[in-house]
Amino acid sequence: MTNGHHSDHPAASGAAAQHTGDTYQRFLTDLFGAIAYGELSAFERMSSDARFSPTLHDRATLGRLAVHEYAHFELICARLSAMGADPEEAMRPFQPSVDAFHDRTRPADWYESLMKFYVTDAISDDFYSAVASRLDAETNSLFQGLKATEQPGEILLGRLREALADDPRLASRLALWGRRLVGEALTQAQRVLMERAFLGGLLDGEGQGAVDAEIKSLTAQLTRNHSKRMSLLGLTA
Amino acid sequence: MTNGHHSDHPAASGAAAQHTGDTYQRFLTDLFGAIAYGELSAFERMSSDARFSPTLHDRATLGRLAVHEYAHFELICARLSAMGADPEEAMRPFQPSVDAFHDRTRPADWYESLMKFYVTDAISDDFYSAVASRLDAETNSLFQGLKATEQPGEILLGRLREALADDPRLASRLALWGRRLVGEALTQAQRVLMERAFLGGLLDGEGQGAVDAEIKSLTAQLTRNHSKRMSLLGLTA
């Protein structure tokens, strides 16, 4: 993913100069809290859904992906603690929106659950990549480390392709489900961004107009990448 | 746990001489298959139930215990593969009885689920310890390694004590639940032992009488240890 648009923007250099302020620390605590709670929830949902896998092999594979989510959760919590923040305090504000997302997107079967991880894990990764370029070097390298430890997207893509080849009737159902997932994910993400004035820490000193423009541009980018991933499955976003 | 009874038994030395035979290899494949499927199931159940924890701290703790179960699952599968066995083939025969155990012991709430892991994890450990003394050195050290990597019993004991102190009315419900759990666990374990002639590989050349006596003695031992663990909670087994 290229961040060309962001690094060309004057705000980026302005924000980069303020990596030590209180606002930036609050922003990081929020960011890590949101990611940590997202990872913990993904771990629980993924390992619960693993049980409904059609084969033992699929159960083991999904279990392994879930365990990676837990490892990420622990890494982020360790970073929060190192910053002097309480990981549970940091996660709490994001609990309602993440839980609401999961409540509104309950998979009807194992294939929908596979699709859910394929879509949401990638959107989260895109989101982190988009903000990472604006963050301090230490945080940036933490994010790079998280991305390097696993490739769930590849595994999920392969398994979904296999499922779609086995049963072509799945295609229309999963295409519909993918649209619903991305809609809910973006709605919840925007809610979090607004409620917590999340981007304030990165766009310090700029007006609400700049924040709104950033949200709009980020949303467009996430949607474009989602469409590309659906195309890889032969589905229309 | 002492294995004095077993090592005094003439059968032990007889079995120890046959660690390379086909019967012993089949026994090991069965044993590892049963353990692996048990660990995979425990991982899935524990991480699903974690979601209903009263606090984020509890969720993280239960998640960590679940991840340890998965690590054990992977170790056992690696050993099966190294022996030239297919882990999925090895697990399959034990799927119905393990699934039946879980279906018959659905926790009504988070405290029952905590109790379930406390009771069943310990019974499994006792069972492995009881057979470990009869196995080849490599398998024995694999089991020792599994035991060394975590102490879920201590963590669960501490958390259950805290819950019982907070709400003394839990005691009678959890005591009843503990009795049900141990009953179901032993019933399923005996079924597996019988159906798969599980101990045959260790008691090669001895009659059905010797096998029955071993099962009886093992059951008595598991029950005694269970009672001690219930006492640690101030509950009657």
Side-chain angles (χ1 to χ4, degrees):
Chain A
M1 206 182 105
T2 127
N3 289 297
H5 168 78
H6 290 152
S7 35
D8 291 346
H9 199 284
S13 49
Q18 307 195 24
H19 280 161
T20 50
D22 279 359
T23 313
Y24 183 68
Q25 289 302 306
R26 272 199 303 278
F27 165 76
L28 271 195
T29 307
D30 267 4
L31 177 65
F32 289 148
I35 297 176
Y37 189 71
E39 303 271 18
L40 181 62
S41 302
F43 158 74
E44 292 166 352
R45 304 279 171 163
M46 204 180 273
S47 46
S48 317
D49 291 357
R51 188 144 60 89
F52 305 104
S53 302
T55 69
L56 273 170
H57 182 77
D58 286 323
R59 279 171 73 171
T61 305
L62 235 64
R64 203 174 61 242
L65 296 181
V67 166
H68 280 297
E69 300 280 342
Y70 192 84
H72 288 181
F73 162 73
E74 283 194 315
L75 274 174
I76 302 277
C77 285
R79 180 60 63 98
L80 278 164
S81 300
M83 285 167 61
D86 175 350
E88 289 162 34
E89 288 298 320
M91 284 190 274
R92 201 156 290 126
F94 304 100
Q95 215 171 336
S97 41
V98 174
D99 288 354
F101 170 73
H102 285 294
D103 285 344
R104 295 172 67 92
T105 55
R106 291 182 189 277
D109 65 8
W110 188 76
Y111 299 99
E112 288 194 6
S113 134
L114 216 57
M115 186 73 172
K116 181 171 166 178
F117 300 124
Y118 175 69
V119 168
T120 56
D121 198 78
I123 290 181
S124 315
D125 272 1
D126 278 357
F127 178 77
Y128 308 158
S129 297
V131 291
S133 65
R134 299 170 161 277
L135 305 177
D136 61 286
E138 198 183 359
T139 307
N140 208 332
S141 86
L142 174 69
F143 283 0
Q144 296 308 321
L146 293 184
K147 284 183 73 172
T149 56
E150 64 171 276
Q151 299 296 337
E154 289 301 307
I155 295 168
L156 295 169
L157 174 65
R159 189 59 186 89
L160 280 166
R161 276 182 166 160
E162 197 182 308
L164 287 162
D166 285 351
D167 179 6
R169 289 168 307 173
L170 262 181
S172 58
R173 181 153 68 90
L174 290 187
L176 198 67
W177 177 236
R179 284 192 283 277
R180 169 122 166 263
L181 287 167
V182 74
E184 290 290 346
L186 294 177
T187 303
Q188 294 298 335
Q190 284 172 7
R191 185 170 302 166
V192 168
L193 290 168
M194 305 291 192
E195 270 173 12
R196 302 286 298 179
F198 200 75
L199 289 170
L202 282 182
L203 301 171
D204 210 16
E206 299 197 47
Q208 187 59 39
V211 174
D212 290 349
E214 280 296 324
I215 293 181
K216 205 169 162 185
S217 141
L218 183 57
T219 304
Q221 192 176 24
L222 296 180
T223 307
R224 269 197 310 278
N225 290 348
H226 169 73
S227 300
K228 282 183 207 150
R229 282 187 297 265
M230 294 296 274
S231 303
L232 290 176
L233 287 172
L235 304 178
T236 312
Chain B
M1 206 181 108
T2 126
N3 289 295
H5 168 78
H6 289 152
S7 34
D8 291 346
H9 198 285
S13 49
Q18 307 194 23
H19 280 160
T20 50
D22 278 358
T23 314
Y24 183 69
Q25 289 303 307
R26 271 198 303 277
F27 165 77
L28 272 194
T29 307
D30 267 4
L31 178 64
F32 290 148
I35 297 176
Y37 190 71
E39 303 271 18
L40 180 62
S41 303
F43 159 73
E44 291 165 352
R45 304 279 171 161
M46 203 179 273
S47 46
S48 316
D49 292 357
R51 188 144 62 87
F52 305 102
S53 302
T55 68
L56 273 171
H57 183 76
D58 287 322
R59 278 171 72 170
T61 305
L62 235 66
R64 204 173 61 243
L65 296 181
V67 166
H68 280 297
E69 300 280 343
Y70 192 84
H72 289 182
F73 161 73
E74 283 193 315
L75 274 175
I76 302 277
C77 286
R79 180 62 61 99
L80 278 164
S81 300
M83 286 167 59
D86 175 350
E88 288 161 35
E89 288 298 321
M91 285 191 272
R92 202 156 289 128
F94 303 100
Q95 214 170 337
S97 40
V98 173
D99 288 354
F101 170 74
H102 285 295
D103 284 344
R104 295 174 66 90
T105 56
R106 290 183 189 275
D109 65 6
W110 188 75
Y111 299 98
E112 289 193 5
S113 133
L114 216 56
M115 186 72 171
K116 180 170 167 177
F117 299 124
Y118 175 68
V119 169
T120 54
D121 198 77
I123 290 181
S124 316
D125 272 0
D126 278 357
F127 177 76
Y128 307 157
S129 296
V131 290
S133 65
R134 299 170 162 276
L135 305 178
D136 60 286
E138 196 183 1
T139 306
N140 208 335
S141 86
L142 174 68
F143 283 0
Q144 296 308 321
L146 293 184
K147 285 183 75 171
T149 55
E150 64 170 273
Q151 298 296 337
E154 290 300 308
I155 295 168
L156 294 169
L157 174 65
R159 189 60 187 85
L160 280 166
R161 277 182 165 160
E162 197 182 307
L164 287 162
D166 285 351
D167 179 5
R169 290 168 306 174
L170 261 181
S172 57
R173 181 153 68 91
L174 289 186
L176 197 69
W177 177 236
R179 284 192 283 278
R180 168 118 168 265
L181 287 167
V182 75
E184 291 290 346
L186 294 178
T187 302
Q188 294 299 334
Q190 284 172 8
R191 185 169 303 167
V192 168
L193 290 169
M194 305 291 191
E195 272 173 10
R196 301 288 298 179
F198 201 74
L199 288 171
L202 282 183
L203 301 171
D204 210 15
E206 298 198 49
Q208 187 59 37
V211 173
D212 290 348
E214 280 296 324
I215 293 181
K216 206 170 162 185
S217 141
L218 183 58
T219 305
Q221 192 177 25
L222 297 180
T223 308
R224 270 196 310 279
N225 290 349
H226 170 72
S227 300
K228 283 183 206 151
R229 283 187 295 266
M230 294 297 273
S231 304
L232 291 175
L233 288 173
L235 303 179
T236 312

